[in-house]
Amino acid sequence: MHAEEAQIITNECPRTRDGPKEPIFWKIFIIIVLGTNFGLMMANNYKTYVKNVIEDERFLVTVGALGAVVCGFSRFIWGFLLERMSFKVVYSFLCILNAFLAFTVFYIKSIEAFYIVYVMCAYLCYGGHQGIFSALSTQVFG
């Protein structure tokens, strides 16, 4: 166990109503809200975002289906990584990947092979946030 994780565990909240009074609660809240925006946008609008560029409906349905599968499995992948590395390392990698995807998706939206990879990676990041922060909340708040 890493030193920072040991510190988090010893600072557990004794009661649920005390959680929002802690500064760590608001840090976690802001990180999750800001970090999931791109993944949530792609999960809900992956078809709408490219409907004028990619008109193949079957392809877009396949993109969504594969993305959903990746999102489900990504929680296990990120959880596995979180058990082996510190939160800061895992989440830093997740943020860098998420930012790269968010800033470059505009340039690849007309290339089907790249678009499917980008959507799957966006789902990977979105699922990562959900998996990581449920584990982190359990550590912090018990």
Side-chain angles (χ1 to χ4, degrees):
M1 181 176 288
H2 300 284
E4 69 228 15
E5 291 171 358
Q7 182 183 10
I8 289 173
I9 293 172
T10 58
N11 293 334
E12 288 185 8
C13 290
R15 296 180 301 198
T16 305
R17 65 179 170 209
D18 293 337
K21 296 176 185 173
E22 297 290 326
I24 188 78
F25 173 83
W26 294 107
K27 290 176 186 175
I28 292 172
F29 179 77
I30 290 169
I31 288 171
I32 193 74
V33 167
L34 295 177
T36 59
N37 281 337
F38 176 69
L40 189 60
M41 188 275 298
M42 289 304 287
N44 291 317
N45 298 309
Y46 70 92
K47 278 186 180 182
T48 308
Y49 187 66
V50 295
K51 70 180 180 181
N52 294 333
V53 180
I54 300 174
E55 297 176 0
D56 185 5
E57 185 68 24
R58 182 174 296 218
F59 171 76
L60 293 174
V61 169
T62 304
V63 168
L66 289 174
V69 170
V70 168
C71 185
F73 282 117
S74 72
R75 297 173 195 197
F76 296 110
I77 295 166
W78 290 107
F80 177 79
L81 291 173
L82 193 58
E83 288 177 353
R84 306 234 172 333
M85 293 181 258
S86 71
F87 170 78
K88 289 181 180 180
V89 171
V90 174
Y91 193 67
S92 295
F93 179 74
L94 179 65
C95 285
I96 290 168
L97 178 61
N98 202 23
F100 174 78
L101 294 170
F103 290 119
T104 59
V105 70
F106 175 78
Y107 301 107
I108 59 90
K109 69 181 183 181
S110 62
I111 307 167
E112 289 182 3
F114 286 136
Y115 188 70
I116 194 168
V117 170
Y118 265 62
V119 171
M120 288 171 52
C121 286
Y123 272 98
L124 181 81
C125 292
Y126 184 55
H129 280 93
Q130 295 169 344
I132 287 173
F133 282 98
S134 60
L136 181 66
S137 296
T138 302
Q139 283 183 344
V140 172
F141 299 112

